[in-house]
Amino acid sequence: MMVPNRETIMKVKLASVGYSQMDLLGKKFFILYGLCEQQLSKVRHYDFGLRNILSVLRTSGTVKRTEPPEADEEMLFMRTVRDMNLSKLVADDVPLFLALLKDLFPKVTD
């Protein structure tokens, strides 16, 4: 069985929706979802698979197109990932998820 290379898919999709920092953001996104799968509670409704990845990437493209061209891509992407995942998390996992985001996106203060 073939396993999709999620990191490559993330980078290509980020480039296709207009991000110029696709390598950096793709790597951070890949690491974040890997850590989420490992460290967050094993709750049935958590989905860090390809379907969720593509949904986040589609939404991040929409967000990028609605913002001015000079907007910080890291901030836009981090905000999209945060907003699309926080509502799915159980209360005990929220602080850990936010800490992972802060570690991966230290320059973003939003």
Side-chain angles (χ1 to χ4, degrees), residues 8 19 21 39 49 53 67 75 87 91 105:
T8 301
Y19 281 84
Q21 296 180 19
Q39 296 182 14
I53 289 168
E67 295 290 329
M75 183 269 303
S87 64
F105 297 94

Side-chain angles (χ1 to χ4, degrees), residues 6 10 29 33 37 46-56:
R6 291 180 182 179
M10 291 170 176
F29 191 26
Y33 269 28
E37 287 176 329
Y46 284 1
D47 177 18
F48 299 107
L50 199 53
R51 180 180 301 144
N52 179 266
I53 289 168
L54 292 175
S55 178
V56 169

